Amino acid sequence: MSCLTGSRRLLLASVACLGGCTTVGPDFRPQHESWPEHWSSPAFEQATTSRTQPDASQWWQVFADPSLERLIDEADANNTDLKVAGLRVLEARAQLGIAMSGRYPQVQQIGVDAAYAKTHNHNEPTGSVPGSWQYGAGFNLGWELDFWGRFKRAIESADAAYFASQANREAVLVLVHAQVADTYYTMRTAEARLRLARENADLQKRSFEITERLFKSGESDELDFQQAKTQYLSTLSSIPDFESQITLARHALAVLIGRPPGPLPELDEQSDKQGFIPLVNRAVLQDVPANLLLRRPDVRAAEFHMAAQSALIGVAKADLYPSVTLLGTLAWSASTRAGSPSTLTVAAGPSVIWNVFDHGRIVNNVRVQDARLQQLEVGYQGTVREAARQADDAATSLISALQRDSILRDAETSARRSLTLANTVYREGYSDFQRVLDAQRALSAEQDAYVVNRANAVGSLIALYKAVGGGWHTDQPLIDPATREQMKQRTDWGDLFDDIESPSASAHSPASPAR
């Protein structure tokens, strides 16, 4: 009894001293450069406006296109990359659970054994000596006290990695939404160019038929006929290419929304949207550009990765110091041999392990972890600069496309008028057919340039929203119900599925991870 009392006192004293333990390693503090806090650019300010709705989290609503919104909703539910990103959040949460187990005894062993023994003297017959059963049971406990914060730092690292995985999923959302919208308007652009190609082919076909008739009747030479034929066939040859672009874009959309490549009949329901390319002259934002850049999911993920690596320095430094472990053993043994007593053994005490001869290896491991942190810090700054460049480039491209829009529209109107005049003077015999061909070629080129520029404006707007991290919102759970059920049939997941649906990483700062 006195042994148990002494062990209990030793355990209580050891636990009490934990309050004064030291946590080695650096406490993470984000090393932000000063320029992102005030960053902006004339192009960015000119290409954006501040309104409340729709905001950058669901920026695709600025296009007011129900087909696009349905595609994005389906991508949120079924996109493969999003599903994998959600599962990685679940994996990181389980890894955090592993790290948190360091708070509890690391060694917990229960052993039970039984053996039959028979001994005899060589002078006596074997059968005359009775055998006996021997029984034993024991319980071993080992608890390494976190004097130097090894387990605390490991939990910090896993905690930051968990929130980094959530930020990475939001980054995948940003990318998928931009890809869906970009591919959708690539398809609409190809539809518009196909319509123009068919219209111009019909127009040039009439000219070709006229020159063919005049040539066969001897009223015109062969040159007009061959030139008209060449231009008509050239335009006609572009039609299969545009049809192929439409099909390929539809296949890409099907994969993005989690379907096998194939037709998308719902896109044909709104005939008014086929070949329609909207012109949105501003990106609607709700915050200053500096805040938007620093809240980009990939930027936040990079910061969480720095926090995780910073904590690993403390884990490595803890190896420089002795580890103190409380050990306890409770053992019972008994035998069926007559007169043999049962025994109960209780032992408890501390164990100190210090790898004094591994100093060089441990120090160099600390250096390795510190070098990795520095790499992440440099990479973080590069990520922020790249984000600013992407935003500025997209804004510049959007402004350029908007400026060209009115010019190309006027050029198309002028080219159409030129073709009308060229046809008139040709019919009246005041010019040759070459001017008609030139006017047709100019009209076709200006119409196509106008459509392509509209597509560039839409693409630049999408790129601008993507550059500021817009599009991270979704109403879909991280793990869809079907996947949850499939995984629960294999493994006991406890409450982890519910845990990962708690507030996302965007609500936490890497400098003070959630506990």
Side-chain angles (χ1 to χ4, degrees), residues 4 21 37 73 82 86 120 129 182 279 303 395 430 471 480 491 493:
L4 286 172
C21 293
E37 299 176 2
D73 288 342
L82 279 177
H120 67 279
V129 181
D182 208 30
L279 184 68
E303 197 163 7
Y430 292 110
D480 62 274
T491 305
W493 284 94

Side-chain angles (χ1 to χ4, degrees), residues 105-138:
Q106 295 84 30
V107 178
Q108 306 162 52
Q109 297 176 337
I110 298 177
V112 178
D113 62 85
Y116 181 78
K118 187 173 184 179
T119 61
H120 67 279
N121 190 300
H122 68 278
N123 294 320
E124 298 177 354
T126 302
S128 65
V129 181
S132 64
W133 283 93
Q134 295 180 348
Y135 305 94

Side-chain angles (χ1 to χ4, degrees), residues 93 264 281 345 376 390 507:
R93 180 61 186 84
L264 297 173
N281 60 4
T345 303
L376 290 173
Q390 291 174 359

